[in-house]
Amino acid sequence: RKEVEQDPGPFNVPEGATVAFNCTYSNSASQSFFWYRQDCRKEPKLLMSVYSSGNEDGRFTAQLNRASQYISLLIRDSKLSDSATYLCVVRPSGRRALTFGSGTRLQVQP
Amino acid sequence: SAVISQKPSRDICQRGTSLTIQCQVDSQVTMMFWYRQQPGQSLTLIATANQGSEATYESGFVIDKFPISRPNLTFSTLTVSNMSPEDSSIYLCSFLGLAGADTQYFGPGTRLTVL
């Protein structure tokens, strides 16, 4: 079983749509959780950290369910510029390096 | 946040040769890492570059194939040795900032093609 699992997509949505991505992780002792965004042929960049209480940054909302070992990202009012691959990322307990999911590709269409 | 650069940005190499990738951060960082991203795949950690000592390698990666140096807190190199086409990938360096920082930043990557 992979440490971090994501639906690879692609998710093809129209502009203005709301889209949700889910992710599960296998190590129950994992301590930190993130969503990174990776544009084509670019390096990953931090989109947002994910906290147990849930957190929101503009159109983006991230939630963590530790009991189910499940992380989600909700994007509201999708823009063309949101088209990218969204990586679910976990920092396992006792490690400083990150473990990446395989990514979910989003394509927002006009 | 610190700025991180890599050289070369891309290269095309012949089978059996070696390539050294350089990673430079413009401020001192506590930890540096090297990742590989094969075509269509996500990132896989190769090793943690330790300042002044041998790197710590992940399962499936060995020092003879991927020697790493980190002579100071701002610079590291990764060598891909005796290359084969299977080594064609993007290689990314990454760092954690100040002690206790939780966010990991990535360099722009080196796109390697082995013929």
Side-chain angles (χ1 to χ4, degrees), chain A residues 15-41:
Chain A
E15 271 187 290
T18 295
V19 61
F21 304 139
N22 303 318
C23 163
T24 57
Y25 60 96
S26 61
N27 186 338
S28 60
S30 296
Q31 295 181 325
S32 303
F33 308 89
F34 310 89
W35 285 100
Y36 274 70
R37 169 188 170 137
Q38 186 172 27
D39 292 289
C40 189
R41 304 175 84 84

Side-chain angles (χ1 to χ4, degrees), chain A residues 2 6 31-34 36 38 40-46 49 51 87 91 95-103, chain B residues 10 30-31 33 35 37 40-43 45 48 58 90 92 96 98 100-109 111:
Chain A
K2 291 183 182 178
Q6 294 181 251
Q31 295 181 325
S32 303
F33 308 89
F34 310 89
Y36 274 70
Q38 186 172 27
C40 189
R41 304 175 84 84
K42 298 285 189 181
E43 74 274 22
K45 293 185 178 177
L46 178 67
S49 301
Y51 304 116
L87 301 165
R91 176 170 289 122
R95 288 170 60 86
R96 299 308 307 279
L98 300 175
T99 299
F100 285 77
S102 56
Chain B
R10 60 176 63 230
T30 54
M31 301 190 75
F33 309 96
Y35 285 81
Q37 187 171 28
Q41 304 294 315
S42 191
L43 283 79
L45 180 66
T48 300
E58 297 298 303
I90 299 172
L92 298 113
L96 278 172
L98 299 173
D102 207 24
T103 301
Q104 200 165 316
Y105 299 92
F106 287 85
R111 185 177 296 272

Side-chain angles (χ1 to χ4, degrees), chain A residues 6-110:
Chain A
Q6 294 181 251
D7 181 345
F11 284 58
N12 295 302
V13 303
E15 271 187 290
T18 295
V19 61
F21 304 139
N22 303 318
C23 163
T24 57
Y25 60 96
S26 61
N27 186 338
S28 60
S30 296
Q31 295 181 325
S32 303
F33 308 89
F34 310 89
W35 285 100
Y36 274 70
R37 169 188 170 137
Q38 186 172 27
D39 292 289
C40 189
R41 304 175 84 84
K42 298 285 189 181
E43 74 274 22
K45 293 185 178 177
L46 178 67
L47 177 66
M48 59 196 305
S49 301
V50 187
Y51 304 116
S52 297
S53 54
N55 49 300
E56 187 174 308
D57 182 2
R59 297 181 294 108
F60 299 84
T61 301
Q63 295 203 308
L64 168 65
N65 184 323
R66 284 189 182 270
S68 302
Q69 296 177 211
Y70 171 97
I71 306 162
S72 66
L73 176 68
L74 182 77
I75 305 175
R76 291 181 298 279
D77 188 22
S78 300
K79 312 290 185 191
L80 294 175
S81 57
D82 293 334
S83 298
T85 296
Y86 290 84
L87 301 165
C88 179
V89 184
V90 171
R91 176 170 289 122
S93 175
R95 288 170 60 86
R96 299 308 307 279
L98 300 175
T99 299
F100 285 77
S102 56
T104 299
R105 196 156 69 86
L106 171 66
Q107 184 67 48
V108 181
Q109 295 165 336

Side-chain angles (χ1 to χ4, degrees), chain B residues 47 54-55 57-58 60-68 78-79 81:
Chain B
E54 200 169 280
Y57 289 83
E58 297 298 303
F61 297 96
V62 295
I63 188 171
D64 289 347
K65 176 66 176 178
F66 297 102
I68 288 171
L78 168 75
T79 299
S81 303

